[in-house]
Amino acid sequence: MNILRKWTALVLSALLIVAVYSPIAVHADAAEGDVIIILGEDLTNDQKVKVLADLEAPSGATELTVTNKEEHKYLGNYLSKAQIGTRALSSAKIVIGKAGSGLSVTTNHINWVTSDMYLNAMITAGVKDAHVMITAPFDVSGTAALTGIIKAYETTTDTKIPEEQKQVANEEIVKTAKLSDSIGAEETTTLMTNIKEQLAEKQPQTREAMQSLVEDTANNLNIAIPEAQLNGLVDLFMNMKDANINWNAVGEQLDQAKQQFTDFIESDTGQGIIASIKNFFVGLIDAIKGWFSS
């Protein structure tokens, strides 16, 4: 049951953000299969060769660079200069998908930001219908990669993502990663999903009401938010509240998201996953019984 609850949280987290933020439509010039490569400006020649190989970059793909100055612009409010560093190394590949195909993310040499964190932050920024791969020449935190991804998406689709959405997306990725360090990735996903669900229903307008909502949601989930991170989390949700949100449609979208999850669980694929989980635990119990009987 805990596993199903975690799957529910992941599904609702992605679908809820889609419902809350007004998406930026892909420009007509962006065709399915278009590829763009974004490279950190400070890669050495050898590192660039390695990164392009990791990304399986096709010959002739459009290449852009992201600078350390751009990384500081979007991360400077949430990370220290030392944490951001002095070199732009994170790189990525974006492959445009067909309309309605959704987002998928894979990572390599990224040791702090998870694929789900990138996914949610990209949806917040307005990125959609694409597969994104993120890598670096060696292990890095990955916080700076979102800057390049957004830049590449803007270029590919010939759109301009509002600065406030970029800032909120970068704030989200940093604060979510920090919270994950404290309470765990799965717990963070569950907490964020439930808070957004409450936001859609109650739409708090003051900071005091927002903090009460965050604290009450965490308490109901038996999740303890570190005091040092509580204010920052409330700041994040206040910024989300002030973004371009269609709150009137959120309730309906949440119900639809839950129905989609129910349909998945009742499908052959969903039932197959449940059966596999059940068989695993049955086998584990039998093995434990065997240890004691011997």
Side-chain angles (χ1 to χ4, degrees), residues 218-264:
N219 289 335
N220 291 336
L221 294 168
N222 294 317
I223 293 175
I225 302 174
E227 189 65 31
Q229 291 179 274
L230 178 60
N231 285 337
L233 196 61
V234 174
D235 288 340
L236 171 62
F237 285 114
M238 288 297 292
N239 289 337
M240 287 185 177
K241 178 189 76 67
D242 294 334
N244 185 21
I245 299 172
N246 181 4
W247 289 107
N248 292 329
V250 169
E252 293 180 10
Q253 295 292 341
L254 277 173
D255 290 339
Q256 291 175 8
K258 292 175 182 177
Q259 185 59 51
Q260 288 178 26
F261 180 75
T262 299
D263 292 342
F264 169 75

Side-chain angles (χ1 to χ4, degrees), residues 78 124 161-170 239 242-244:
Y78 319 113
T124 296
I161 296 173
E163 288 296 310
E164 59 269 23
Q165 280 187 268
K166 295 179 185 179
Q167 287 289 345
V168 170
N170 278 279
N239 289 337
D242 294 334
N244 185 21

Side-chain angles (χ1 to χ4, degrees), residues 48-241:
K48 181 177 178 180
V49 170
K50 173 176 170 44
V51 163
L52 289 173
D54 289 343
L55 294 174
E56 298 181 348
S59 176
T62 301
E63 290 186 10
L64 296 176
T65 58
V66 62
T67 68
N68 185 248
K69 182 178 180 180
E70 289 172 315
E71 294 175 347
H72 279 270
K73 176 181 178 181
Y74 291 108
L75 294 169
N77 291 331
Y78 319 113
L79 291 172
S80 68
K81 291 183 178 180
Q83 288 174 299
I84 301 171
T86 59
R87 295 183 296 166
L89 299 172
S90 298
S91 303
K93 176 177 72 174
I94 295 182
V95 182
I96 299 298
K98 66 180 179 180
S101 62
L103 278 172
S104 61
V105 182
T106 56
T107 63
N108 181 44
H109 288 305
I110 304 298
N111 60 16
W112 192 38
V113 180
T114 68
S115 296
D116 289 330
M117 294 175 195
Y118 282 121
L119 179 70
N120 288 338
M122 282 189 284
I123 295 173
T124 296
V127 178
K128 67 173 188 174
D129 298 334
H131 173 68
V132 179
M133 182 176 180
I134 304 155
T135 191
F138 46 80
D139 287 354
V140 298
S141 67
T143 52
L146 184 63
T147 301
I149 292 167
I150 293 174
K151 182 177 181 179
Y153 183 76
E154 286 184 308
T155 300
T156 306
T157 60
D158 194 22
T159 60
K160 179 61 179 176
I161 296 173
E163 288 296 310
E164 59 269 23
Q165 280 187 268
K166 295 179 185 179
Q167 287 289 345
V168 170
N170 278 279
E171 179 183 5
E172 179 180 350
I173 206 166
V174 172
K175 290 184 176 178
T176 304
K178 287 182 176 180
L179 185 62
S180 177
D181 280 345
S182 300
I183 67 174
E186 293 170 347
E187 289 77 7
T188 298
T189 299
T190 301
L191 178 64
M192 297 291 283
T193 301
N194 279 268
I195 290 175
K196 289 170 185 173
E197 188 173 13
Q198 290 298 308
L199 280 174
E201 178 182 343
K202 299 178 180 178
Q203 302 182 39
Q205 297 301 307
T206 66
R207 183 177 180 84
E208 291 74 17
M210 183 69 75
Q211 181 162 334
S212 294
L213 184 149
V214 171
E215 291 176 334
D216 290 345
T217 304
N219 289 335
N220 291 336
L221 294 168
N222 294 317
I223 293 175
I225 302 174
E227 189 65 31
Q229 291 179 274
L230 178 60
N231 285 337
L233 196 61
V234 174
D235 288 340
L236 171 62
F237 285 114
M238 288 297 292
N239 289 337
M240 287 185 177
K241 178 189 76 67

Side-chain angles (χ1 to χ4, degrees), residues 26-42:
V26 175
H27 193 271
D29 291 340
E32 179 182 351
D34 282 355
V35 178
I36 190 165
I37 305 295
I38 188 81
L39 297 171
E41 185 182 49
D42 299 302

